[in-house]
Amino acid sequence: MNQSETPLGPRHPVALTIAGSDPSGGAGMQADLKTLQAFGVYGSAVMTLLTVQNTQGVEAVEMLQMDFFQSQFDCVTSDIPPDAVKTGALGTAEMIATVAAALSPLKCPIVVDPVMISKHGHAIIDDGAVDALRTQLLPVASLVTPNRFEAERLAETSIESEDDLPVAASRLHDQGVPAVLIKAQFDNHAVDFLSLRSGQSGRPETQTWTTQWIDGGNLHGTGCVLSAAITAGLASQKDLVSAIERARRFVTAGIASPYRIGQGVSAIDVLEASKKALR
C-alpha cells in the first residue's frame, strides 16, 4: 500500500500542525490549516497554547496542560498518520520537550518554525525555552525556518549582513539540523537563505532567494504560512527546494495582495495567494 492509499482507498496527503491558536485567523494553527488546504493537503492540528490577539497585538497567552497536549497528539496521529509535520508556537521548555519526545519516533519530514516573537513585538518564549529548542527539538527537525532574530538567538551569533547567514546556519547544523532556511531583511530587500548539510564533503550546499521588500505588505502570519506551505510540499513528496520555491511564490502573493485584513499589522491574504500562486 503506498502513501496515497488507505484500507478504504485513496487519500490526500496529510500534514499535522502543532501550534498555538490565533483567534484572528492570521497566524498560528488557523493560518496553517488554511494554507494546507490551499495546497490540496489534509490538515490535522494539535494545539499547544491559546492566545488573545488580533492584528493589533497579543493581549494574553495561556498554555495547555502537557497531558492534554499528549492526548491530542496520540488520538490524532493514531487515527490519521501524518506525511509531514510542522511546529509553530510552543511556549515553554516543558512543552518543547514534550513535543520533541512525541515527534522523535516519526519517520516523516518535520519542519520547525521556532516562533519566538510576534509581529507586534510580543515575546512568545523565554531563555529556558530557547535552550530546549536547541537541545531537544532541533535534533529531530528535518528543516528549521527561523527569521533573522530567531536565528541569532538559536545560533548565538549576530547577523548584520548577508555574509553572516552562512555562519548562523552552520551553527544550527552543529545542533543537528540537516536543513536551515533563514529569513532576513536587509535594506530594501528580503533574503531567504537555504543551507543543506552535506553528508560527504562536510561543506553545506547553499541557495539564496532575494526579492524586493514590499512596504506596507500583509505581514501578520507570514512565517506560519511559509512553513506550512513548505510542509504541504513535503507531505506531497516534493523535494525541499521545489517545496520552498512554491511556498515563497505563495507567500509573496499573499503579502502583496491589495486587500487589508484588520486594523493593525495586516494578516497575510491566503485566499488571494491561492488564486494567484496556485493556478
Side-chain angles (χ1 to χ4, degrees), residues 237-259:
Q237 300 187 355
K238 288 188 175 295
D239 66 85
L240 181 58
V241 171
S242 296
I244 290 172
E245 290 179 338
R246 189 171 66 152
R248 291 187 74 256
R249 291 193 296 270
F250 185 85
V251 169
T252 299
I255 291 174
S257 168
Y259 300 101

Side-chain angles (χ1 to χ4, degrees), residues 49-135:
L49 56 87
L50 301 168
T51 67
V52 177
Q53 68 169 300
N54 55 26
T55 64
Q56 299 179 77
V58 178
E59 297 181 8
V61 177
E62 183 171 333
M63 294 297 305
L64 298 187
Q65 295 297 315
M66 300 305 115
D67 58 350
F68 191 79
F69 162 81
Q70 192 69 56
S71 295
Q72 291 181 84
F73 181 88
D74 293 342
C75 184
V76 170
T77 58
S78 65
D79 184 43
I80 311 172
D83 299 310
V85 178
K86 70 146 288 189
T87 67
L90 303 181
T92 65
E94 185 180 11
M95 179 63 80
I96 291 167
T98 303
V99 170
L103 293 179
S104 59
L106 299 185
K107 303 302 181 183
C108 64
I110 297 171
V111 177
V112 171
D113 183 16
V115 180
M116 296 183 183
I117 191 167
S118 73
K119 280 292 187 298
H120 322 93
H122 184 97
I124 301 294
I125 63 176
D126 59 21
D127 290 340
V130 175
D131 288 338
L133 269 171
R134 289 194 197 99
T135 61

Side-chain angles (χ1 to χ4, degrees), residues 219-236:
L219 298 178
H220 179 55
T222 51
C224 300
V225 170
L226 179 67
S227 57
I230 295 170
T231 305
L234 297 178
S236 302

